[in-house]
Amino acid sequence: MKHKKKKGGVNYGKYGLRFIAPFFIAYILFSLWPLLSTFYYSFFEYVTRNLHTTVEFCSFQNYLNVLGITDGERAYFLTYLGNTLRLWILNFVPQVLLALLIAAWLTSSRVRLGRKGIYKVLVYMPNIITAASISLLFYALLSKFGPIMSTLRSWGLISASADIMVSKWGTSLTISFILFWMWYGNSTLLLIAGMMGINPSLYEAADIDGATGWQKFTNVTLPLLKPVLLYVLVTSAIGGLQLYDIPALFNTGTGGGLIGLPDDTSTTVTMYIMRLHASDTGRAAAVSVMLFIITLIISLIFFRVFRDDKDYKNARAAHHRKGVGA
Amino acid sequence: MNSDLRALRRRKVIRHIVLILLCFLSLLPFYLMFVNATRTSNEIKAGISFLFGSNLSENLRNFAEAQVGLGVTVLGAMLNSFKIALPFTILSVYFSALTAYGIYAYNFKLKKFAWGFIMAVMMVPTQVFAIGYYKFMIQINLIDTYWPLIIPAITTPAVVFFMRQYLQGALSLEIVEAARIDGSGEFHTFNTIILPLMKPALATQAIFQFVYCWNNLFMPTLIISSSAKKTLTMFVQMLTAESFRADYGVVFIGLAITILPMFIMYFILSKFIVEGVSLGGVKE
């Protein structure tokens, strides 16, 4: 491509810079600058008294406060990070297992299923619908005097006082179920795309060796699917850390306090940031910075694993030869 | 051999049953929502029903009354969401295509760095710099306007990534060369030749960007404070208020109205959406 650099005295390279300039200018202004200023704010103490806010440098005090290291402060960041991780893991494990099963079924060459298109469309559907509405819908259906609990009560399956909303695990499992229900279709489609990229001759060779379906799955499919599985894991983990819409609308305290009931056990890190953003910029910024660092560590591990992964390089090379979207 | 065939058929039937059950599971909450939107609050409290009730118009009336105190109606909130999501989508696909083309079609000094940068920031979520963004918008007087929700559309790294992958498979640079010989300027070539060639990629990404923006709750909550400017997702949040909690019928009809646009959109565009998700599959 080098010979195209100069032709007829025109340097086309400068157009490349011009084409990408809007993206980079906007990124620096509206993402990088806010990110750097978030770091900056995290080192200041914001105290509001009588509608007057004083700002003072306080080095790492905000971090120590939200980590509960200062006397009299509770480790809110750790509590909410724990909540967030609990909600994410409870959804991710069943999600990826079911997605693997369905993807294997829909790509199986031995047991060929019809109507694949409609199955894909329907299992993916909840992912598109407004999460805020879905969360409130489940809340309305499952609340103590809602239709589902009433029916279960009248059948004598649950006691008269049974209420998901006062139970920590009841609430957590329901939120995780909503996440699972919304996202397993997405993972299924990604895994199907990954499985279709596996060279069919590998399966033929395994057939000749007399491998069973399970052996083919564990010895051919899973190892070659590692990059896609890793991608699903990392995007889900990073998305899971930012979890907001569903817990913010499912079983939260009234009064706009953004407290995940019962007893603060379903409050996530981003709900905490939202709760603090207007009243205590310093702490909100400190929480954001820690969230950023955790996200960064996850991405770095992901890139490191990928760079060293031979299978991944091969898969990627094959993918590029095929040409995406062609 | 015969028993083998029978075993195969049995497995097929079991798989179909499981898949059909999962499809029902996808639809069930929405079906219950539509049914409950037509029932009275007392009927809903009495238990589940799979049959539609006769209280739809009454619920609609009550809902219309209940939303009066909110400062924005559900249709107003939808229009607000649309006012944000439409320009957001257009800016996102246009500037992403522009950036992707700039990196794909030209050779320049910072090309490698630029691509590496885009890949690196692809994973950075908005929430981690939301505090700085919020403060910045206060400083430049854009808080409580739609601009802070629209402008970031210029920088959507994941869309740039997708567009470049698409260009790699779909565009040969000879077309660009030919246009140059015809005396077409570089921006003119991009707008009149390259963009039309990218239509399938633009359409797919436009759907996803629109859905993303329409469904977003975090950023609007941070930026918007006037009732009249609230988006649809913020309206949903207001449905949790005491005035609605009292009447289940009103909550369900409200939810049904907020879900309906995406529901209809999905069943019209589902084919493209499912294809689009699969394409994004083997991302970096």
Side-chain angles (χ1 to χ4, degrees):
Chain A
M1 272 211 292
K2 256 194 171 137
H3 65 281
K4 278 174 195 157
K5 207 168 178 180
K6 269 195 171 186
K7 212 169 210 183
V10 184
N11 179 6
Y12 286 111
K14 69 179 185 209
Y15 286 102
L17 276 176
R18 281 184 204 171
F19 275 46
I20 67 168
F23 179 98
F24 280 89
I25 293 167
Y27 196 87
I28 290 165
L29 264 178
F30 298 106
S31 297
L32 214 53
W33 171 244
L35 184 64
L36 293 175
S37 64
T38 304
F39 272 85
Y40 176 79
Y41 292 133
S42 72
F43 297 112
F44 287 85
E45 191 184 12
Y46 289 73
V47 184
T48 307
R49 269 195 203 99
N50 305 325
L51 296 172
H52 181 75
T53 306
T54 52
V55 184
E56 248 176 76
F57 181 74
C58 65
S59 80
F60 284 95
Q61 197 57 46
N62 288 318
Y63 292 88
L64 299 178
N65 286 347
V66 296
L67 288 169
I69 296 169
T70 320
D71 280 342
E73 291 284 350
R74 285 177 58 189
Y76 280 119
F77 177 73
L78 297 177
T79 310
Y80 298 149
L81 186 65
N83 291 345
T84 312
L85 290 176
R86 164 163 28 88
L87 295 173
W88 176 71
I89 289 170
L90 286 175
N91 117 78
F92 185 73
V93 174
Q95 182 199 125
V96 83
L97 290 177
L98 183 65
L100 269 172
L101 180 76
I102 308 291
W105 282 1
L106 290 179
T107 52
S108 168
S109 56
R110 234 169 83 83
V111 186
R112 284 178 192 277
L113 298 177
R115 287 182 297 199
K116 280 180 203 161
I118 188 89
Y119 290 144
K120 284 187 199 168
V121 165
L122 284 174
V123 297
Y124 182 72
M125 183 191 64
N127 195 262
I128 282 293
I129 311 290
T130 317
S133 298
I134 285 181
S135 179
L136 190 56
L137 171 60
F138 275 84
Y139 182 71
L141 286 172
L142 291 168
S143 57
K144 191 176 179 187
F145 299 107
I148 291 177
M149 296 301 267
S150 296
T151 298
L152 291 176
R153 216 175 287 129
S154 67
W155 288 349
L157 288 173
I158 54 172
S159 71
S161 61
D163 185 2
I164 291 173
M165 308 309 162
V166 297
S167 145
K168 171 186 166 183
W169 287 99
T171 300
S172 290
L173 283 168
T174 312
I175 293 174
S176 300
F177 175 79
I178 302 172
L179 283 169
F180 157 82
W181 177 76
M182 282 185 78
W183 286 95
Y184 84 90
N186 182 67
S187 299
T188 303
L189 293 183
L190 295 177
L191 292 176
I192 287 176
M195 287 180 186
M196 305 247 276
I198 296 172
N199 191 340
S201 65
L202 291 172
Y203 291 108
E204 284 158 27
D207 278 332
I208 293 166
D209 293 341
T212 63
W214 178 249
Q215 283 172 327
K216 278 189 283 184
F217 183 72
T218 51
N219 293 323
V220 180
T221 312
L222 276 185
L224 288 171
L225 212 56
K226 206 170 114 194
V228 184
L229 273 172
L230 210 58
Y231 173 77
V232 170
L233 170 73
V234 169
T235 47
S236 173
I238 291 175
L241 280 172
Q242 325 300 324
L243 193 59
Y244 181 76
D245 301 22
I246 293 169
L249 277 159
F250 189 88
N251 200 14
T252 42
T254 45
L258 269 182
I259 296 197
L261 298 175
D263 197 23
D264 230 1
T265 54
S266 65
T267 311
T268 63
V269 179
T270 46
M271 282 165 77
Y272 187 40
I273 294 176
M274 188 60 91
R275 206 159 84 193
L276 290 173
H277 85 274
S279 61
D280 193 338
T281 307
R283 281 187 202 208
V287 172
S288 306
V289 168
M290 286 191 280
L291 193 62
F292 172 70
I293 291 169
I294 296 172
T295 310
L296 198 68
I297 292 170
I298 295 174
S299 321
L300 285 178
I301 294 172
F302 171 65
F303 277 115
R304 171 61 57 82
V305 173
F306 260 23
R307 200 175 304 146
D308 304 338
D309 192 333
K310 217 173 65 203
D311 294 336
Y312 171 67
K313 276 185 192 144
N314 293 340
R316 209 177 121 192
H319 190 67
H320 280 237
R321 274 197 298 279
K322 236 174 30 193
V324 183
Chain B
M1 201 63 208
N2 211 352
S3 70
D4 253 22
L5 262 177
R6 217 175 304 143
L8 207 65
R9 193 168 304 149
R10 200 175 327 127
R11 269 164 90 182
K12 212 170 179 173
V13 170
I14 292 170
R15 290 179 183 192
H16 272 300
I17 291 172
V18 172
L19 285 163
I20 288 168
L21 283 175
L22 287 173
C23 290
F24 272 116
L25 189 67
S26 285
L27 291 169
L28 185 69
F30 300 114
Y31 181 73
L32 289 176
M33 173 188 72
F34 286 122
V35 166
N36 285 328
T38 65
R39 301 167 79 206
T40 67
S41 196
N42 283 334
E43 282 170 345
I44 296 167
K45 281 181 194 163
I48 305 172
S49 163
F50 291 97
L51 299 173
F52 284 87
S54 55
N55 209 44
L56 177 63
S57 55
E58 183 69 20
N59 281 346
L60 269 173
R61 231 187 338 268
N62 292 339
F63 174 75
E65 259 170 47
Q67 68 174 0
V68 167
L70 298 178
V72 65
T73 61
V74 67
L75 293 177
M78 254 182 229
L79 188 68
N80 290 343
S81 282
F82 190 76
K83 278 186 208 159
I84 300 165
L86 186 70
F88 181 93
T89 306
I90 294 169
L91 285 181
S92 172
V93 294
Y94 183 80
F95 281 101
S96 297
L98 188 74
T99 312
Y101 178 72
I103 287 179
Y104 174 69
Y106 299 100
N107 280 310
F108 51 93
K109 239 193 204 156
L110 294 170
K111 177 177 168 136
K112 269 213 160 133
F113 169 78
W115 184 238
F117 185 84
I118 289 172
M119 303 263 292
V121 299
M122 205 158 63
M123 296 279 191
V124 179
T126 331
Q127 284 89 331
V128 299
F129 54 81
I131 293 301
Y133 193 66
Y134 170 74
K135 283 272 173 190
F136 184 36
M137 291 304 125
I138 293 176
Q139 285 158 5
I140 59 172
N141 249 332
L142 286 180
I143 207 79
D144 201 24
T145 69
Y146 292 154
W147 293 109
L149 303 173
I150 296 170
I151 301 168
I154 298 172
T155 58
T156 41
V159 185
V160 177
F161 181 83
F162 180 91
M163 298 282 188
R164 205 195 95 135
Q165 297 288 79
Y166 184 84
L167 282 173
Q168 227 156 23
L171 178 73
S172 106
L173 288 174
E174 280 153 32
I175 300 170
V176 184
E177 288 289 318
R180 273 178 199 153
I181 292 162
D182 290 344
S184 167
E186 297 299 304
F187 277 97
H188 187 256
T189 307
F190 173 76
N191 286 325
T192 56
I193 298 170
I194 309 300
L195 270 188
L197 277 173
M198 294 179 75
K199 251 186 207 156
L202 296 173
T204 313
Q205 288 304 304
I207 297 172
F208 286 109
Q209 291 304 301
F210 189 89
V211 169
Y212 163 78
C213 188
W214 180 273
N215 287 345
N216 196 351
L217 174 65
F218 188 86
M219 284 314 274
T221 310
L222 202 67
I223 300 294
I224 304 298
S225 49
S226 326
S227 306
K229 291 180 187 163
K230 287 193 170 168
T231 65
L232 187 65
T233 46
M234 294 173 84
F235 184 88
V236 175
Q237 191 150 36
M238 292 194 288
L239 284 178
T240 58
E242 221 51 58
S243 54
F244 290 96
R245 278 191 181 186
D247 190 332
Y248 274 103
V250 169
V251 171
F252 280 107
I253 190 78
L255 284 172
I257 296 170
T258 62
I259 281 177
L260 212 53
M262 281 289 118
F263 209 72
I264 295 169
M265 192 270 325
Y266 184 65
F267 282 104
I268 296 171
L269 299 173
S270 59
K271 212 182 141 236
F272 302 100
I273 293 173
V274 167
E275 258 171 39
V277 179
S278 309
L279 274 184
V282 194
K283 257 192 227 168
E284 195 61 18

